[in-house]
Amino acid sequence: MIKPAAEETVRVGLIGAGGVVRAGHLPSLQRLPGVEILAVADPAPGVAERVATDAGIPHAYLAAEPLLERDDLHAVVIATPNDEHPRLARAAAARGLHILSEKPLAVNLADAQSMLAAAEAAGVVHQTAFNYRFVPAIRWLASRVHAGEIGAPHHFRSQRFQDGGGFALGWRQQKERCGSGELADMMSHRIDFSHWIIGDVTGLFSRLVNLLPERAQRGGGPPQPSDVDDWASLLVRFDTGCTGVFEATSLAPGYGQGLQSWDSLEVNGSGGSLKYNMNEPTSLLYSAPGGQYAAQPVPPEFLTPPGAPWKTDEADPMTMFRWSQAWEFISAIREGRQAVPSFRDGVAVQRVLDAALRSNDERRWLDLTEPE
C-alpha cells in the first residue's frame, strides 16, 4: 500500500549528475510546482558541486550514501552506471524513499528483480525511466492500437539509427557495467513500448555485433577497449501472435545524433497501419488497407498528461516528454499510487535483454514462456 505524500512539497535527491540528469531529470523536476531538489551526488570530482551551484541545489556529495542518509528527502532519481542501480535502489527503498531509476534497471534479470522486490516490500513508488512512453505521437499510437483502429496487429517494426562517429562511450562500452551496448541503451526503450502497445515478448532470436573493439577518445589519447554490441537486432514473437523486428546502431553515417537522428516505429494491422518518426513527435502517419500513408496531427488531449502544469506551446515537444515523465513520478507520489512505467515494466524488459544476450551467444531461437 503506497501512502499519498503527507507534505505539499516533494523533496528529491539526484544520484548521478551526468548528461541525462543535466538535460533531462533536473530541468524537468524544476518545472514542477511543489518540488524541491535538495541534494545531488556524483563521484566525479567537482561535478556535483558545479551542478548544485548552477541549479541552486543546497547540498552536493561525492557519494550517494550521505545523500541517502538524509532525513528530509522523499524521493531519489538514480542516474548512474547500470551496475550501480540495484544497490542504490535497495538502499533507497530501505530508507522509504520513492525511486525513479534510469533504464535499463540493471545488467541482469536477477538484479532487476531484486530492485522490484525491495521497492514493493517498502511500499514506495517506483518508476523506470522509459521516457518515450510520454512522446505525444507514441501515446496516441498506443491508444489507437488498443482501440482496435487498425484491427489485429500483424507486424511491429522499430529502427533506431544514429551516427555517433565511433567515439568512446565511457562505462557504456564496458559490458560488466552496462550489460550490453545498443541493446540495453537504445533498444530497451523500444522493447518497453512494444510491450505497452502490442503485448509481452514470448520468443526471440537476436544478433548482436561488436564492430569496434576499440573506440577513439574525442580529446585524443589511446583508444579505449569496448566489449559491447554496436549493432543490435531482434526478431520477436508477441503473445498476441504479432511479429516484431527491432534494429539499433550508433554507427550509421548520415543519420545524425541524439534527438535529430532516425527513430521510427511502425505497426501494420489487419485494418490499417500507423507510423511514428521521432522528428515529428506531434503527428502520426496513417494508412487504411489499399491506401497510402498520410500525416495526421496528434489531438490536444494527447500532447500533455492530464493536469500537467504547462501549456502545449511552452516548449519543443522533444523536451516536453521528459517533463511528462517527471510529472508522472511526482503525481504518483502525491496520489499514493504506482507510477507507470514501473519497476515491473523494467523487469519485463530486462527479461528480454537477458534472453537476447543468450540467444546471440547460443545462436538459436529462445522461447520465453519456458521456465527459467
Side-chain angles (χ1 to χ4, degrees):
M1 179 74 177
I2 299 171
K3 295 182 180 179
E7 299 181 44
E8 184 175 339
T9 298
V10 177
R11 296 187 290 273
V12 181
L14 304 175
I15 304 177
V20 71
V21 166
R22 297 193 299 271
H25 296 295
L26 175 56
S28 299
L29 289 165
Q30 286 178 320
R31 286 205 58 85
L32 305 183
V35 174
E36 182 180 3
I37 302 176
L38 279 186
V40 57
D42 194 284
V47 171
E49 290 84 352
R50 286 195 298 273
V51 170
T53 299
D54 292 344
I57 300 172
H59 306 282
Y61 303 99
L62 273 171
E65 285 70 22
L67 183 151
L68 288 169
E69 291 168 2
R70 297 184 63 91
D71 293 326
D72 52 0
L73 291 178
H74 298 118
V76 293
V77 174
I78 299 174
T80 64
N82 301 342
D83 64 323
E84 297 178 4
H85 296 174
R87 172 181 61 84
L88 294 170
R90 292 191 296 263
R95 296 283 295 174
L97 296 169
H98 307 295
I99 310 161
L100 169 55
S101 175
E102 264 302 325
K103 57 76 203 167
L105 281 187
V107 298
N108 59 61
L109 180 58
D111 279 344
Q113 289 172 325
S114 77
M115 295 171 66
L116 173 61
E120 291 197 330
V124 299
V125 173
H126 47 84
Q127 184 176 4
T128 308
F130 289 130
N131 52 27
Y132 283 85
R133 286 213 194 191
F134 301 95
V135 174
I138 294 181
R139 293 179 64 223
W140 192 34
L141 186 151
S143 176
R144 296 173 75 174
V145 172
H146 295 161
E149 186 172 330
I150 62 168
H154 288 165
H155 316 303
F156 176 96
R157 193 170 299 105
S158 169
Q159 296 176 322
R160 184 69 172 102
F161 302 152
Q162 298 187 83
D163 181 4
F167 290 106
L169 301 171
W171 61 267
R172 287 184 176 84
Q173 64 188 53
Q174 302 168 20
K175 187 175 182 179
E176 184 179 5
R177 305 220 65 188
C178 63
S180 55
E182 288 295 311
L183 177 68
D185 192 24
M186 289 292 104
M187 201 175 285
S188 62
H189 279 295
R190 281 86 204 157
I191 295 167
D192 172 66
F193 61 62
S194 78
H195 283 165
W196 175 39
I197 295 167
I198 304 297
D200 292 339
V201 171
T202 57
L204 62 81
F205 179 84
S206 73
R207 182 78 173 100
L208 310 174
V209 179
N210 174 266
L211 295 164
L212 295 178
E214 291 187 333
R215 283 177 166 263
Q217 299 188 67
R218 289 183 183 273
Q224 301 298 304
S226 173
D227 61 353
V228 299
D229 52 286
D230 303 309
W231 176 81
S233 65
L234 288 179
L235 176 65
V236 311
R237 180 186 65 238
F238 295 97
D239 59 1
T240 58
C242 181
T243 62
V245 179
F246 299 75
E247 184 184 8
T249 183
S250 60
L251 299 177
Y255 278 101
Q257 290 183 276
L259 297 179
Q260 303 308 312
S261 56
W262 178 254
D263 185 3
S264 175
L265 157 64
E266 185 172 19
V267 182
N268 311 125
S270 59
S273 292
L274 289 165
K275 187 173 183 178
Y276 147 83
N277 293 320
M278 184 167 66
N279 293 328
E280 299 291 340
T282 58
S283 70
L284 282 178
L285 296 173
Y286 167 76
S287 176
Q292 293 186 335
Y293 273 125
Q296 299 177 335
V298 174
E301 62 267 27
F302 288 92
L303 295 176
T304 58
W310 61 80
K311 297 179 181 178
T312 58
D313 59 355
E314 284 189 45
D316 185 331
M318 294 309 297
T319 298
M320 204 179 298
F321 76 95
R322 302 179 190 275
W323 303 354
S324 299
Q325 174 178 262
W327 173 250
E328 166 64 11
F329 181 53
I330 298 302
S331 296
I333 293 170
R334 289 194 171 124
E335 296 166 11
R337 61 173 174 83
Q338 197 46 264
V340 178
S342 70
F343 280 8
R344 191 167 295 278
D345 297 295
V347 167
V349 170
Q350 195 73 52
R351 181 173 287 106
V352 176
L353 299 181
D354 278 25
L357 289 169
R358 183 180 167 196
S359 171
N360 181 71
D361 289 344
E362 298 179 5
R363 294 291 193 269
R364 69 181 182 92
W365 177 272
L366 287 185
D367 185 347
L368 275 63
T369 65
E370 295 176 352
E372 297 173 10

